[in-house]
Amino acid sequence: MRDFDLVRPASVAEAAAAFAASGDAAYLAGGHTLIPAMKARLRAPETLVDLSRLPGLTGVTRDGDRLWVGALTTHAAVAEDATVEAAIPGLSALALLIGDPQVRAKGTLGGVIANNDPAADYPAACLALDATIVTDRAEYGAGDFFQGMFATALSDGEIVTRVGFRVPTASAYAKFRHPASRYAVAAVYVARFTDGVRVAVTGAGPGAFRWTEAEAALTASFDAGAVAGLTLEDGDLSSDIHCSAEYRAHLCGVMLAQAVEGSING
Amino acid sequence: MTGLTINGIAHSADVPSATLLVEYLRDHLGLTGTHIGCETSQCGACNVLIDGVPVKACTALVATLDGAAVTTVEGLAAGETLHPMQAAFREHHALQCGFCTPGMVIAGIGIAQRHGADVTPGVIAHELEGNLCRCTGYINIVAAIAAGAKAMHDA
């Protein structure tokens, strides 16, 4: 790993200022994507701005139909949180499927969504749970925030501060994990609201996306039979060393059925 | 300069920003019980406890650990008395080549802390997803962690 200047700011404003002052900076949250990328010299920032000491960016609160999670809340903390479990158990289950216990002890919600890995879990939850993503300078709907592989609406130096998930009447996440990396080969989040159903897919394409045909079918009739045989066009899906697009298209159907069953059976 | 405690001893680390905790432990302090298996955050051989929680030392920067308390495998025993999890690994012969063992012991302590004395083999196996044993000696490792969890809570 190339050496860098480490800055450890005590406030969001200081962090943003340190980022802006450097010609080539990166933010460090849990570090479980960035540090491996730096070791592999895929990233070599001149300045690393450590966000771990910023106050007020961890924890969970329920406010009406929104569940707010601080951007620096770790996956382990989300998985263990009683407020999350009571409001959106599907989100607790999703957090528990990220990485492994040591990764979950460090990895953060904000880090995941700012990076927007196409196989990351939280982008699917954000899309299906109609999330609002708040930063130090703006607020985004999840549909505007995620812009394809490793791309987001964030401008240079913008810091995600918290995410508000809309609380559904039922939801579940079904994930086919890559056995080595534990990222999603294909995964589906299904969320049922009083005004309709939202379905999001991750791992299968160049970025998380909503599956509108599945949403329409499930809004009409919320059972696995309503989406039996529904498939995605494999031309839009990823093909790589792990599996073909055709296989991913099949997996998405299987994960969709599992997520619907999970939403019904809790 | 980063002030941190390692196995109960205060250290002032004066190292480049890019120094990983595992490098500091092994190359600067000679604490070679923490192993480097993959160095890509996969294998868990470098697990240490940071403020009591298992973390991969190959994915932690020393300079971000100001004020932290680190425990490595060398810091688990009390003198000649093994930590209950270490004793359980010995009792159940939970090793073949031994390379993954320090990380497994640390992970086992975390599992015992999270799931208590009666953690089931199924939960242990699932929670070991971040630890690789290339000898595939998982059966005895799971048995050892179950016994170690009981012993930790009886202690």
Side-chain angles (χ1 to χ4, degrees):
Chain A
M1 190 179 350
R2 292 204 177 90
D3 210 23
F4 47 83
D5 292 324
L6 180 74
V7 186
R8 304 196 72 206
S11 72
V12 171
E14 269 182 46
F19 192 102
S22 165
D24 178 25
Y27 287 125
L28 177 70
H32 276 52
T33 299
L34 181 57
I35 292 174
M38 289 171 65
K39 286 198 287 194
R41 301 213 174 177
L42 298 168
R43 297 284 303 274
E46 286 172 11
T47 306
L48 205 54
V49 181
D50 177 17
L51 303 180
S52 67
R53 297 202 298 191
L54 302 189
L57 296 191
T58 57
V60 175
T61 51
R62 171 88 185 255
D63 181 12
D65 75 341
R66 289 272 160 188
L67 181 78
W68 289 98
V69 181
L72 289 180
T73 311
T74 63
H75 311 320
V78 170
E80 289 164 7
D81 190 275
T83 306
V84 177
E85 176 71 29
I88 317 179
L91 193 62
S92 310
L94 175 146
L96 203 55
L97 287 170
I98 301 173
D100 59 54
Q102 289 71 242
V103 171
R104 292 194 289 272
K106 296 294 289 181
T108 69
L109 167 61
V112 169
I113 67 170
N115 187 52
N116 194 20
D117 187 298
D121 302 280
Y122 273 125
C126 289
L127 288 171
L129 295 168
D130 197 11
T132 298
I133 293 152
V134 181
T135 73
D136 60 336
R137 54 198 85 164
E139 241 183 74
Y140 305 91
D144 297 324
F145 183 84
F146 298 107
Q147 301 186 349
M149 192 176 286
F150 297 111
T152 67
L154 293 171
S155 55
D156 249 16
E158 191 169 359
I159 300 171
V160 178
T161 55
R162 59 183 186 144
V163 177
F165 298 95
R166 193 173 148 209
V167 177
T169 54
S171 78
Y173 183 59
K175 174 181 182 182
F176 191 88
R177 306 173 92 192
H178 188 279
S181 73
R182 293 171 291 278
Y183 274 96
V185 177
V188 174
Y189 200 110
V190 168
R192 188 181 195 186
F193 298 91
T194 50
D195 59 355
V197 176
R198 294 169 68 100
V199 177
V201 178
T202 190
F209 59 91
R210 283 174 66 188
W211 190 349
T212 49
E213 295 84 357
E215 293 180 349
L218 290 168
T219 298
S221 173
F222 196 75
D223 60 80
V227 288
L230 193 65
T231 51
L232 286 161
E233 290 293 326
D234 59 27
D236 300 330
L237 303 183
S238 306
S239 191
D240 54 29
I241 58 166
H242 307 306
C243 62
S244 65
E246 184 187 9
Y247 182 70
R248 279 197 169 85
H250 174 74
L251 273 183
C252 287
V254 176
M255 294 301 109
L256 175 63
Q258 288 185 7
V260 173
E261 296 289 349
S263 305
I264 292 167
N265 300 324
Chain B
M1 196 77 84
T2 303
L4 73 171
T5 305
I6 294 168
N7 298 334
I9 298 167
H11 291 270
S12 292
D14 186 10
V15 293
S17 299
T19 307
L20 299 165
L21 177 57
V22 72
E23 295 169 345
Y24 182 62
L25 294 171
R26 291 178 58 85
D27 301 342
H28 294 249
L29 303 183
L31 294 170
T32 53
T34 302
H35 290 172
I36 300 174
C38 66
E39 220 188 349
T40 53
S41 318
Q42 308 278 334
C43 78
C46 68
N47 283 349
V48 299
L49 299 172
I50 298 182
D51 297 326
V53 177
V55 168
K56 300 181 198 224
C58 79
T59 315
L61 297 167
V62 174
T64 63
L65 295 174
D66 205 35
V70 176
T71 305
T72 70
V73 72
E74 291 94 338
L76 293 176
E80 294 297 305
T81 307
L82 293 177
H83 184 283
M85 191 59 74
Q86 290 175 304
F89 268 67
R90 181 181 180 181
E91 176 72 19
H92 290 266
H93 192 68
L95 65 151
Q96 289 182 42
C97 82
F99 194 86
C100 71
T101 308
M104 289 285 183
V105 169
I106 297 284
I109 291 169
I111 291 168
Q113 287 168 345
R114 288 192 297 276
H115 297 282
D118 299 319
V119 58
T120 63
V123 169
I124 294 168
H126 180 71
E127 293 267 288
L128 282 177
E129 62 193 341
N131 289 76
L132 298 179
C133 167
R134 284 199 64 185
C135 310
T136 68
Y138 292 104
I139 289 178
N140 286 1
I141 292 169
V142 170
I145 292 174
K150 274 195 179 57
M152 277 172 64
H153 288 84
D154 292 344

